[in-house]
Each structure stands twice: as C-alpha cells, then as structure tokens.
Amino acid sequence: MVDKGITSLNVKVINRNKVYNCIYKEVFTSKQQIANKLQMGISTVSQNIKSLEKDGLIERNGNFDSTGGRRADIIQIVRNARVAIGVGILKKYVFIVAVDLYGEIIHSVTLNLPYESSRDYYKTIGDKVDEFIRTNQIKPESILGVSIATQGIISSDGQSVSYGVIMGNHEMKLSSFTEFIPYPCRLEHDCKAAAYLELWKNKDIENAVVFLLNRNLGGSFIINRRIFQGVNMHGGALEHLCINKDGPLCYCGNRGCLETYCSANTIENASGMEIQVFFENLRKGVNSCVQIWTDYLDKLAFAIRNLSIIIDGHIIISGYLAPFFTEDDISYILRAANSPPFPIERDQILVGTYGQYTPAAGAALHYLDEFLQTV
Ligand SMILES: [Zn+2]
C-alpha cells in the first residue's frame, strides 16, 4: 500500500512537471494543445493547470482566434515567477544581473568595485546584491539563487578558487560570499559560465570552442553538449595557447600566449583608448585603430583556425567584445582562418550578444535548469 501511495504521488509530480515544461517550451499554448503534445487526458491537464496557476507559475492571457466553438485560453508561464541572480566579478568591476525564467536579463548593473581579498569586500558585494534586489523590487521569495562567476579556476568541489593570478583571488571561497548573501549561492569560473550561456541559447550546439573576449581572454570547449573541464579544471584555457614563443610576457609567466594579443586589455593598451572609444574611432576609419584591429583579428583567426581543426564544430565569439563585431569582421576571420581541406562555414560562427554580462548571466542559468527539472 505504501509503495502504491509513493508511486501515485510520483506520477502526480511528474505530470505537473511535464505540463509546466510543455507550456514553457511552447511559450503560448492551450489546454488542448498540451493534452495533444503530452498524450495526456484533458482532465489531468486541467488539474495541473489549476495547480500551477494557484502557485502563480502560469497564467492565462487572452484567447486564441476561434476556429469554431469556444475560443481557447492562451496559457503561458509567468516569466518572472522565479528569478536567478548572477554576479560577474572582475579585477576592477562587478556586474549583477537578474534573469527571468527564459534566461533574459531583466535587470542589470555595472559597479566600479576593485577586488580586494578582505571581508569588507565580500560584505560590500552582499550589500550591493541586496540593494540590487530592493531597487528592482525583486521579491525575495522568487529568487532561486545567486551564482557568482569570477576569473580564476574553481576547485572541483566548487568551494574555492584554485588558480587566480589575474585578480590575486586565490583566497576566494564560496563561503566568503554566503556569509553575506542569504540565498543559495554557487561559484563558477567565468569562462565556463559563458559557455553555459551559449549552450542554453543554442540548442543545436554539439561541439564548440568558446572565445570569451573579455578584458582578459578566456575560453572553453563544449564537447557533446558538455563543458569540458579536464583533470585540473583548466581544460579549454585557450588564452594560454602559445602563438609566438618570443612574444610579450603573459601574466602566467610564459611568452606569446593568445592572451597577450587577443584580450580587450591589449587593445586598450595598444590604442591608449577605452574600448568604447576605440571602436568608435575604428568604425570612423582611424588608421591606427584599423591597424590594431586587423592585427587582433589576424591573431584570433590564427587561433580559430587551429582550434577548429581540433573541435570541428561551432566557433563562439562571446563576452565583452562580441557585440562590437560586424559582419565584415566575421568575413575577415573566415577568409583568414579558412584553410582547405578544413573550411569553416559562416553558420559555424556564432556571436554572443550579452557583452560584459555574459559570465554573470551564464552563471545564473544553472538555477533555472534546476528549477525546470524540479518544478
Ligand atoms: Zn599565458
């Protein structure tokens, strides 16, 4: 008897989850469409719709055009019934975003807050997250969690940073944040978070190499729709690919890493301009900027060409610089990176749109996936 009770409870939970996920995937649907899609009895669908509606997770919003008879209600999820918060931490900046259940950024803020390894710093982050939640009137009970993406390799148990030369954040621990943030928290390497965002956005990606074109360069590999970690969690760290053994010194101690040519910092240092200003001048045709950018694209194309041979999949250009890329830039890379017999087609290259918020948003998406599996 007990077993039977548990089984029927499980079926109830599974059906509710199926109905919710069906509505989620269809975006706009009707009771009959759900019943058809799931091959589920209309009364079971009705019960679950009522239950989900009562919990504020779905809503009826208008009617479909009538095809004779009563016009069916349009059913959709309540997009902001749950919200995930992402925090992106760089050496000099902090980015905070809130994403709705479809992973769209609904609120964001950029803070000028230099990193320091102190309890005060983590307290400030906690205060800023709290302020962000209050300013944007996000209901605390709707918050699934706060996901923190930072520069640095994260230990395999997710509790601390194991390699953090750029920011000097070797001491960073998940517990440093949870002391001041009263929600579930997780810590993630920003490159992996960026890759997660691309997986989320592009359901047809199987294998890809992700270039995170941030102030510092980052990267990751997606293999069979999983983010490749490696034994020491630094799999895919393409920023330290050596492309010129006599090149400039990299922060890792080696010379000629891709980082020293393709980070946004390199462009700022070479041009003496902030990124926004650099691109304004570049698009006006200022010679020195054109020269720096051409050099940048050449080096990027060189890495794309080599990594494309290994990964034989999508090439994803993501992060801070991605929204500055034009179609001409992509064409240039394609021409420079193409080398028969392993050509790269235009549709293999994807360009991210989240800019500086990419790691924060990508990190936040983990909580949405958890929610969708358990709702
Ligand atoms: Zn390096």
Side-chain angles (χ1 to χ4, degrees):
M1 286 300 282
V2 172
D3 279 353
K4 198 178 165 194
I6 290 169
T7 307
S8 66
L9 181 66
N10 279 348
V11 170
K12 253 185 160 171
V13 170
I14 291 166
N15 280 342
R16 185 178 136 103
N17 185 270
K18 275 186 183 167
V19 169
Y20 182 82
N21 274 283
C22 179
I23 300 167
Y24 183 88
K25 282 194 187 104
E26 296 297 315
V27 185
F28 301 105
T29 188
S30 69
K31 198 189 291 183
Q32 191 60 50
Q33 278 174 4
I34 299 167
N36 294 346
K37 280 261 172 205
L38 297 177
Q39 298 285 297
M40 194 181 271
I42 198 86
S43 68
T44 309
V45 174
S46 292
Q47 275 169 22
N48 283 299
I49 285 173
K50 270 187 201 142
S51 151
L52 290 165
E53 207 173 7
K54 189 167 146 275
D55 291 345
L57 292 172
I58 63 164
E59 61 189 355
R60 295 170 212 243
N61 206 344
N63 302 96
F64 285 104
D65 287 340
S66 176
T67 51
R70 224 179 116 225
R71 299 198 312 159
D73 288 338
I74 295 174
I75 300 169
Q76 60 192 92
I77 68 152
V78 178
R79 298 177 69 113
N80 59 358
R82 296 289 183 278
V83 170
I85 309 277
V87 181
I89 293 186
L90 294 184
K91 199 171 180 176
K92 294 182 184 162
Y93 301 93
V94 171
F95 306 94
I96 309 178
V97 302
V99 299
D100 69 13
L101 283 165
Y102 280 115
E104 296 299 327
I105 294 178
I106 47 173
H107 306 291
S108 61
V109 68
T110 300
L111 306 169
N112 221 318
L113 184 63
Y115 173 75
E116 57 176 55
S117 180
S118 72
R119 198 163 170 268
D120 274 356
Y121 175 83
Y122 295 107
K123 183 175 182 311
T124 306
I125 297 275
D127 290 345
K128 293 294 178 187
V129 168
D130 182 54
E131 189 183 314
F132 176 81
I133 290 166
R134 280 187 291 108
T135 308
N136 294 303
Q137 298 178 331
I138 300 168
K139 291 183 195 139
E141 62 273 22
S142 72
I143 296 170
L144 295 168
V146 179
S147 207
I148 297 139
T150 187
Q151 288 187 301
I153 313 285
I154 307 298
S155 62
S156 54
D157 63 4
Q159 295 299 308
S160 56
V161 170
S162 59
Y163 177 82
V165 170
I166 298 175
M167 287 177 44
N169 57 341
H170 310 82
E171 309 295 323
M172 187 182 277
K173 293 196 167 39
L174 180 59
S175 57
S176 319
F177 294 98
T178 51
E179 188 180 348
F180 302 107
I181 300 177
Y183 300 96
C185 290
R186 52 193 302 288
L187 187 60
E188 193 173 3
H189 184 190
D190 60 359
C191 301
K192 303 290 194 291
Y196 198 77
L197 184 138
E198 300 303 337
L199 273 175
W200 171 278
K201 289 279 163 193
N202 302 287
K203 302 296 182 201
D204 62 335
I205 288 178
E206 279 296 325
N207 302 307
V209 52
V210 183
F211 289 84
L212 182 61
L213 304 182
N214 270 359
R215 289 168 194 279
N216 291 105
L217 184 67
S220 48
F221 289 153
I222 293 170
I223 297 170
N224 295 329
R225 284 196 66 74
R226 294 179 70 89
I227 298 164
F228 179 72
Q229 302 286 355
V231 176
N232 297 305
M233 305 292 282
H234 63 72
L238 52 83
E239 61 272 30
H240 300 296
L241 273 181
C242 177
I243 64 166
N244 174 9
K245 69 181 174 52
D246 301 316
L249 190 63
C250 176
Y251 63 81
C252 74
N254 296 298
R255 287 197 172 272
C257 294
L258 194 59
E259 157 75 21
T260 64
Y261 296 102
C262 288
S263 64
N265 283 345
T266 307
I267 293 179
E268 286 194 340
N269 292 339
S271 65
M273 300 171 195
E274 288 188 2
I275 288 298
Q276 189 76 38
V277 179
F278 170 80
F279 278 100
E280 281 165 19
N281 282 299
L282 171 69
R283 302 309 175 200
K284 278 187 216 154
V286 173
N287 256 334
S288 59
C289 295
V290 172
Q291 186 53 52
I292 291 168
W293 186 236
T294 306
D295 196 40
Y296 181 97
L297 292 179
D298 281 336
K299 299 293 191 300
L300 187 63
F302 180 82
I304 287 176
R305 188 260 177 203
N306 284 335
L307 293 172
S308 172
I309 284 173
I310 295 169
I311 209 86
D312 188 17
H314 283 95
I315 309 292
I316 300 172
I317 291 171
S318 158
Y320 184 26
L321 298 187
F324 291 101
F325 275 68
T326 63
E327 198 50 43
D328 283 348
D329 295 332
I330 303 297
S331 301
Y332 183 91
I333 287 175
L334 277 173
R335 283 196 304 277
N338 257 328
S339 65
F342 305 113
I344 303 169
E345 304 293 337
R346 173 63 188 89
D347 60 5
Q348 278 174 264
I349 299 194
L350 303 173
V351 183
T353 55
Y354 281 60
Q356 303 209 74
Y357 295 115
T358 303
L365 297 177
H366 281 273
Y367 283 112
L368 302 191
D369 269 342
E370 263 178 36
F371 173 75
L372 291 173
Q373 281 163 25
T374 54
V375 58

Coordinates of all heavy atoms in Angstrom, one line a residue, residues 270-334:
A270 N 47.3 49.1 -26.4 CA 47.9 49.4 -27.7 C 47.4 50.8 -28.3 O 48.1 51.5 -28.9 CB 47.6 48.3 -28.7
S271 N 46.1 51.0 -28.0 CA 45.5 52.2 -28.6 C 45.5 53.4 -27.6 O 45.3 54.6 -28.1 CB 44.0 51.9 -29.0 OG 43.2 51.7 -27.8
G272 N 45.6 53.1 -26.4 CA 45.5 54.2 -25.4 C 44.1 54.7 -25.2 O 43.9 55.8 -24.8
M273 N 43.1 53.9 -25.7 CA 41.7 54.3 -25.6 C 40.9 53.3 -24.9 O 41.2 52.1 -24.9 CB 41.1 54.4 -27.1 CG 41.8 55.4 -28.0 SD 41.1 55.2 -29.6 CE 42.4 56.1 -30.6
E274 N 39.8 53.8 -24.3 CA 38.9 52.8 -23.7 C 38.2 52.1 -24.9 O 38.1 52.6 -26.0 CB 37.8 53.5 -22.9 CG 38.5 54.0 -21.6 CD 37.4 54.6 -20.6 OE1 36.2 54.5 -20.9 OE2 37.9 55.1 -19.5
I275 N 37.7 50.9 -24.6 CA 37.1 50.1 -25.7 C 36.1 50.8 -26.5 O 36.1 50.7 -27.7 CB 36.6 48.7 -25.1 CG1 37.8 47.8 -24.6 CG2 35.7 48.0 -26.1 CD1 38.7 47.4 -25.7
Q276 N 35.1 51.4 -25.8 CA 34.0 52.1 -26.5 C 34.6 53.1 -27.5 O 34.2 53.2 -28.7 CB 33.1 52.7 -25.4 CG 31.8 53.3 -26.0 CD 30.8 52.2 -26.2 OE1 30.7 51.3 -25.5 NE2 30.1 52.4 -27.3
V277 N 35.5 53.9 -27.0 CA 36.1 55.0 -27.8 C 36.9 54.3 -29.0 O 36.9 54.8 -30.1 CB 37.1 55.9 -27.0 CG1 37.7 57.0 -27.8 CG2 36.3 56.4 -25.8
F278 N 37.6 53.3 -28.7 CA 38.4 52.6 -29.7 C 37.5 52.2 -30.9 O 37.9 52.4 -32.0 CB 39.1 51.4 -29.1 CG 39.8 50.5 -30.2 CD1 41.0 50.8 -30.7 CD2 39.1 49.4 -30.7 CE1 41.6 50.0 -31.7 CE2 39.6 48.6 -31.7 CZ 40.9 48.9 -32.2
F279 N 36.4 51.6 -30.5 CA 35.5 51.1 -31.6 C 34.9 52.2 -32.4 O 34.7 52.1 -33.6 CB 34.5 50.1 -31.1 CG 35.1 48.7 -31.0 CD1 35.5 48.2 -29.8 CD2 35.2 47.9 -32.1 CE1 36.1 46.9 -29.6 CE2 35.8 46.6 -32.0 CZ 36.2 46.2 -30.8
E280 N 34.6 53.3 -31.7 CA 34.0 54.5 -32.4 C 35.1 55.0 -33.4 O 34.7 55.2 -34.6 CB 33.7 55.6 -31.4 CG 32.4 55.4 -30.6 CD 32.3 56.3 -29.4 OE1 33.0 57.3 -29.3 OE2 31.5 56.0 -28.5
N281 N 36.3 55.0 -33.0 CA 37.4 55.5 -33.9 C 37.6 54.5 -35.0 O 37.9 54.9 -36.2 CB 38.7 55.8 -33.2 CG 38.6 57.1 -32.4 OD1 38.5 58.1 -33.0 ND2 38.7 57.1 -31.1
L282 N 37.6 53.2 -34.7 CA 37.8 52.2 -35.7 C 36.8 52.3 -36.8 O 37.1 52.3 -38.0 CB 37.7 50.8 -35.0 CG 37.7 49.6 -35.9 CD1 39.1 49.4 -36.6 CD2 37.3 48.3 -35.2
R283 N 35.5 52.4 -36.4 CA 34.4 52.5 -37.4 C 34.4 53.8 -38.2 O 33.9 53.8 -39.3 CB 33.1 52.3 -36.7 CG 32.9 50.9 -36.0 CD 33.4 49.7 -36.7 NE 33.3 48.5 -35.9 CZ 34.0 47.4 -36.2 NH1 34.7 47.3 -37.3 NH2 33.9 46.3 -35.4
K284 N 35.1 54.8 -37.6 CA 35.3 56.0 -38.4 C 36.5 55.9 -39.4 O 36.8 56.8 -40.2 CB 35.6 57.2 -37.5 CG 34.4 57.8 -36.9 CD 34.9 59.1 -36.1 CE 34.1 59.3 -34.8 NZ 34.8 60.0 -33.8
G285 N 37.3 54.8 -39.2 CA 38.4 54.5 -40.2 C 39.7 55.1 -39.7 O 40.6 55.2 -40.5
V286 N 39.8 55.5 -38.4 CA 41.1 56.0 -37.9 C 42.2 54.9 -38.1 O 42.1 53.8 -37.6 CB 41.0 56.4 -36.4 CG1 42.4 56.8 -35.9 CG2 40.0 57.5 -36.3
N287 N 43.3 55.3 -38.8 CA 44.3 54.4 -39.3 C 44.9 53.5 -38.2 O 45.0 52.3 -38.3 CB 45.4 55.1 -40.0 CG 45.3 55.0 -41.5 OD1 44.8 54.0 -41.9 ND2 45.8 56.0 -42.2
S288 N 45.3 54.2 -37.1 CA 46.0 53.4 -36.1 C 45.0 52.3 -35.5 O 45.5 51.2 -35.1 CB 46.5 54.3 -35.0 OG 45.4 55.0 -34.4
C289 N 43.8 52.6 -35.4 CA 42.8 51.7 -34.8 C 42.6 50.5 -35.8 O 42.5 49.4 -35.4 CB 41.5 52.4 -34.5 SG 41.6 53.6 -33.2
V290 N 42.5 50.9 -37.1 CA 42.3 49.8 -38.1 C 43.5 48.9 -38.0 O 43.3 47.6 -38.1 CB 42.2 50.5 -39.5 CG1 42.2 49.4 -40.6 CG2 40.9 51.3 -39.6
Q291 N 44.7 49.4 -37.9 CA 45.9 48.5 -37.8 C 45.8 47.6 -36.6 O 46.1 46.4 -36.7 CB 47.1 49.4 -37.7 CG 48.4 48.7 -37.8 CD 48.5 47.8 -39.1 OE1 48.2 48.2 -40.2 NE2 48.8 46.5 -38.8
I292 N 45.5 48.2 -35.4 CA 45.4 47.3 -34.2 C 44.3 46.3 -34.3 O 44.5 45.1 -34.0 CB 45.1 48.3 -33.0 CG1 46.3 49.2 -32.7 CG2 44.7 47.4 -31.8 CD1 46.0 50.3 -31.7
W293 N 43.2 46.6 -34.9 CA 42.1 45.7 -35.0 C 42.4 44.6 -36.0 O 42.1 43.4 -35.8 CB 40.8 46.5 -35.4 CG 39.6 45.6 -35.4 CD1 38.7 45.5 -36.5 CD2 39.0 44.9 -34.4 NE1 37.7 44.7 -36.1 CE2 37.8 44.3 -34.8 CE3 39.4 44.6 -33.0 CZ2 37.0 43.4 -34.1 CZ3 38.6 43.8 -32.3 CH2 37.4 43.2 -32.8
T294 N 43.1 45.0 -37.1 CA 43.4 44.0 -38.1 C 44.4 43.0 -37.5 O 44.3 41.7 -37.7 CB 44.1 44.6 -39.4 OG1 43.2 45.7 -39.8 CG2 44.4 43.7 -40.5
D295 N 45.3 43.5 -36.7 CA 46.3 42.6 -36.1 C 45.5 41.7 -35.1 O 45.8 40.5 -35.0 CB 47.3 43.5 -35.3 CG 48.5 42.7 -34.9 OD1 49.0 41.8 -35.7 OD2 49.0 42.9 -33.8
Y296 N 44.6 42.3 -34.4 CA 43.8 41.5 -33.4 C 43.0 40.3 -34.1 O 43.1 39.2 -33.7 CB 42.8 42.4 -32.7 CG 41.9 41.7 -31.7 CD1 42.2 41.8 -30.4 CD2 40.7 41.0 -32.1 CE1 41.4 41.2 -29.4 CE2 39.9 40.4 -31.1 CZ 40.3 40.5 -29.8 OH 39.5 39.9 -28.9
L297 N 42.4 40.7 -35.2 CA 41.6 39.7 -36.0 C 42.5 38.6 -36.6 O 42.1 37.4 -36.6 CB 40.8 40.4 -37.1 CG 39.6 41.3 -36.7 CD1 38.9 41.9 -37.9 CD2 38.6 40.5 -35.8
D298 N 43.7 39.0 -37.0 CA 44.6 38.0 -37.6 C 45.0 37.0 -36.5 O 45.0 35.8 -36.8 CB 45.9 38.7 -38.1 CG 45.7 39.4 -39.4 OD1 44.8 38.9 -40.2 OD2 46.4 40.3 -39.7
K299 N 45.3 37.4 -35.3 CA 45.7 36.5 -34.2 C 44.5 35.7 -33.8 O 44.7 34.5 -33.6 CB 46.2 37.3 -33.0 CG 47.4 38.2 -33.3 CD 48.7 37.3 -33.6 CE 50.0 38.1 -33.6 NZ 50.0 39.2 -34.6
L300 N 43.4 36.3 -33.8 CA 42.2 35.5 -33.4 C 41.9 34.4 -34.4 O 41.6 33.3 -34.1 CB 41.0 36.4 -33.2 CG 39.7 35.8 -32.7 CD1 39.9 35.3 -31.3 CD2 38.6 36.9 -32.7
A301 N 42.0 34.8 -35.7 CA 41.7 33.9 -36.8 C 42.7 32.7 -36.8 O 42.4 31.6 -37.0 CB 41.8 34.6 -38.1
F302 N 44.0 33.0 -36.4 CA 45.0 32.0 -36.3 C 44.6 31.0 -35.3 O 44.7 29.7 -35.5 CB 46.3 32.7 -35.9 CG 47.5 31.7 -35.8 CD1 48.2 31.3 -36.9 CD2 47.9 31.3 -34.5 CE1 49.3 30.5 -36.8 CE2 49.0 30.4 -34.4 CZ 49.7 30.0 -35.5
A303 N 44.1 31.4 -34.1 CA 43.7 30.5 -33.1 C 42.4 29.8 -33.5 O 42.3 28.6 -33.2 CB 43.4 31.3 -31.8
I304 N 41.5 30.5 -34.1 CA 40.3 29.8 -34.6 C 40.6 28.7 -35.6 O 40.1 27.6 -35.5 CB 39.3 30.9 -35.2 CG1 38.7 31.8 -34.1 CG2 38.2 30.2 -36.0 CD1 37.8 32.9 -34.6
R305 N 41.5 29.0 -36.5 CA 41.9 28.0 -37.5 C 42.4 26.8 -36.8 O 42.0 25.6 -37.1 CB 42.9 28.7 -38.4 CG 43.3 27.8 -39.6 CD 44.6 27.1 -39.4 NE 44.9 26.2 -40.6 CZ 45.7 25.1 -40.5 NH1 46.2 24.8 -39.4 NH2 45.9 24.4 -41.6
N306 N 43.3 26.9 -35.9 CA 43.9 25.8 -35.2 C 42.9 25.0 -34.3 O 42.9 23.8 -34.3 CB 45.1 26.2 -34.4 CG 46.3 26.5 -35.2 OD1 46.4 26.0 -36.3 ND2 47.2 27.3 -34.7
L307 N 42.1 25.7 -33.6 CA 41.2 25.1 -32.7 C 40.0 24.4 -33.4 O 39.5 23.4 -33.0 CB 40.7 26.0 -31.6 CG 41.8 26.5 -30.6 CD1 41.3 27.6 -29.7 CD2 42.3 25.3 -29.8
S308 N 39.7 25.0 -34.5 CA 38.6 24.5 -35.4 C 39.0 23.1 -35.9 O 38.1 22.2 -36.0 CB 38.3 25.5 -36.5 OG 37.4 24.9 -37.4
I309 N 40.3 22.9 -36.2 CA 40.7 21.6 -36.7 C 40.5 20.6 -35.6 O 40.1 19.4 -35.9 CB 42.2 21.7 -37.1 CG1 42.2 22.4 -38.5 CG2 42.8 20.3 -37.2 CD1 43.6 22.7 -39.0
I310 N 40.7 21.0 -34.3 CA 40.6 20.0 -33.2 C 39.1 19.8 -32.9 O 38.7 18.6 -32.8 CB 41.3 20.5 -32.0 CG1 42.8 20.6 -32.2 CG2 41.0 19.7 -30.8 CD1 43.6 21.3 -31.2
I311 N 38.3 20.8 -32.9 CA 37.0 20.7 -32.3 C 35.9 20.4 -33.4 O 34.9 19.7 -33.2 CB 36.5 22.0 -31.6 CG1 35.5 21.6 -30.5 CG2 36.0 23.0 -32.4 CD1 36.2 21.2 -29.2
D312 N 36.2 20.8 -34.7 CA 35.3 20.5 -35.8 C 33.8 20.8 -35.5 O 33.0 19.9 -35.6 CB 35.5 19.1 -36.3 CG 34.8 18.8 -37.6 OD1 34.4 19.7 -38.3 OD2 34.6 17.6 -37.9
G313 N 33.6 22.0 -35.0 CA 32.2 22.3 -34.6 C 31.9 23.8 -34.7 O 32.4 24.4 -35.6
H314 N 31.2 24.3 -33.7 CA 30.9 25.8 -33.8 C 32.1 26.6 -33.2 O 32.8 26.1 -32.3 CB 29.6 26.1 -33.0 CG 28.4 25.7 -33.7 ND1 27.7 24.5 -33.6 CD2 27.7 26.5 -34.6 CE1 26.7 24.5 -34.4 NE2 26.6 25.7 -35.0
I315 N 32.2 27.8 -33.6 CA 33.1 28.7 -33.0 C 32.3 29.8 -32.4 O 31.5 30.5 -33.1 CB 34.0 29.4 -34.1 CG1 34.7 28.3 -35.0 CG2 35.0 30.4 -33.5 CD1 35.7 27.5 -34.4
I316 N 32.4 30.0 -31.1 CA 31.5 31.0 -30.5 C 32.4 32.2 -30.0 O 33.3 32.0 -29.2 CB 30.8 30.4 -29.3 CG1 29.9 29.3 -29.8 CG2 29.9 31.4 -28.6 CD1 29.2 28.4 -28.8
I317 N 32.0 33.4 -30.5 CA 32.7 34.6 -30.1 C 31.8 35.3 -29.1 O 30.7 35.6 -29.4 CB 32.9 35.5 -31.3 CG1 34.0 34.8 -32.2 CG2 33.4 36.9 -30.9 CD1 34.1 35.5 -33.6
S318 N 32.3 35.4 -27.9 CA 31.4 35.7 -26.8 C 32.1 36.8 -25.9 O 33.3 37.1 -26.0 CB 31.1 34.5 -26.0 OG 30.7 34.7 -24.7
G319 N 31.3 37.4 -25.0 CA 31.9 38.3 -24.0 C 31.9 39.8 -24.4 O 31.2 40.2 -25.3
Y320 N 32.7 40.5 -23.7 CA 32.7 42.0 -23.8 C 32.8 42.5 -25.2 O 32.1 43.4 -25.7 CB 33.9 42.5 -23.0 CG 34.1 44.0 -22.8 CD1 33.1 44.8 -22.9 CD2 35.4 44.5 -22.5 CE1 33.3 46.2 -22.7 CE2 35.6 45.8 -22.4 CZ 34.5 46.7 -22.5 OH 34.7 48.0 -22.3
L321 N 33.8 41.9 -26.0 CA 34.0 42.5 -27.3 C 33.0 42.0 -28.4 O 32.8 42.6 -29.5 CB 35.4 42.2 -27.8 CG 36.5 42.8 -27.0 CD1 37.9 42.5 -27.7 CD2 36.4 44.3 -26.8
A322 N 32.3 40.9 -28.1 CA 31.4 40.3 -29.1 C 30.4 41.2 -29.8 O 30.3 41.2 -31.0 CB 30.7 39.0 -28.5
P323 N 29.7 42.0 -29.0 CA 28.7 42.9 -29.6 C 29.4 44.0 -30.5 O 28.7 44.6 -31.3 CB 28.0 43.6 -28.4 CG 28.3 42.7 -27.3 CD 29.6 42.1 -27.5
F324 N 30.7 44.2 -30.5 CA 31.3 45.1 -31.3 C 31.7 44.6 -32.7 O 32.0 45.3 -33.6 CB 32.6 45.7 -30.7 CG 32.4 46.5 -29.5 CD1 32.6 46.0 -28.2 CD2 32.0 47.8 -29.6 CE1 32.4 46.8 -27.1 CE2 31.8 48.6 -28.5 CZ 32.0 48.1 -27.2
F325 N 31.6 43.2 -32.8 CA 31.9 42.6 -34.1 C 30.9 42.9 -35.2 O 29.7 42.9 -34.9 CB 32.1 41.1 -33.9 CG 33.4 40.6 -33.5 CD1 33.8 40.9 -32.2 CD2 34.2 39.9 -34.3 CE1 35.1 40.5 -31.8 CE2 35.5 39.5 -33.9 CZ 35.9 39.8 -32.6
T326 N 31.4 43.2 -36.4 CA 30.5 43.4 -37.5 C 30.5 42.2 -38.4 O 31.4 41.4 -38.3 CB 30.9 44.7 -38.3 OG1 32.2 44.4 -38.9 CG2 30.9 45.9 -37.5
E327 N 29.6 42.2 -39.3 CA 29.6 41.1 -40.3 C 30.9 41.1 -41.1 O 31.4 40.0 -41.5 CB 28.3 41.2 -41.2 CG 28.0 39.9 -41.9 CD 27.9 38.6 -41.0 OE1 27.3 38.7 -39.9 OE2 28.4 37.6 -41.4
D328 N 31.4 42.3 -41.4 CA 32.7 42.3 -42.1 C 33.8 41.7 -41.3 O 34.7 41.1 -41.9 CB 33.0 43.8 -42.4 CG 32.2 44.4 -43.6 OD1 31.6 43.6 -44.3 OD2 32.2 45.6 -43.8
D329 N 33.8 41.9 -40.0 CA 34.9 41.3 -39.2 C 34.8 39.8 -39.2 O 35.8 39.1 -39.3 CB 34.7 41.7 -37.7 CG 34.9 43.2 -37.5 OD1 35.6 43.8 -38.3 OD2 34.3 43.8 -36.6
I330 N 33.6 39.3 -39.2 CA 33.4 37.8 -39.3 C 33.9 37.3 -40.6 O 34.6 36.3 -40.7 CB 31.9 37.4 -39.1 CG1 31.4 37.9 -37.7 CG2 31.8 35.9 -39.1 CD1 32.1 37.4 -36.5
S331 N 33.6 38.0 -41.7 CA 34.0 37.6 -43.0 C 35.5 37.6 -43.1 O 36.1 36.7 -43.7 CB 33.5 38.6 -44.1 OG 32.1 38.6 -44.1
Y332 N 36.1 38.6 -42.5 CA 37.6 38.7 -42.5 C 38.2 37.5 -41.8 O 39.1 36.9 -42.3 CB 38.0 40.0 -41.7 CG 39.5 40.2 -41.8 CD1 40.1 41.0 -42.8 CD2 40.4 39.7 -40.8 CE1 41.5 41.1 -42.8 CE2 41.7 39.9 -40.8 CZ 42.3 40.6 -41.8 OH 43.7 40.8 -41.8
I333 N 37.6 37.1 -40.6 CA 38.1 36.0 -39.9 C 38.0 34.7 -40.7 O 38.9 33.9 -40.8 CB 37.3 35.8 -38.5 CG1 37.8 36.9 -37.5 CG2 37.5 34.4 -37.9 CD1 37.1 36.9 -36.2
L334 N 36.8 34.6 -41.4 CA 36.6 33.4 -42.2 C 37.6 33.3 -43.3 O 38.2 32.2 -43.5 CB 35.2 33.5 -42.8 CG 34.0 33.0 -41.9 CD1 32.7 33.3 -42.6 CD2 34.2 31.5 -41.6

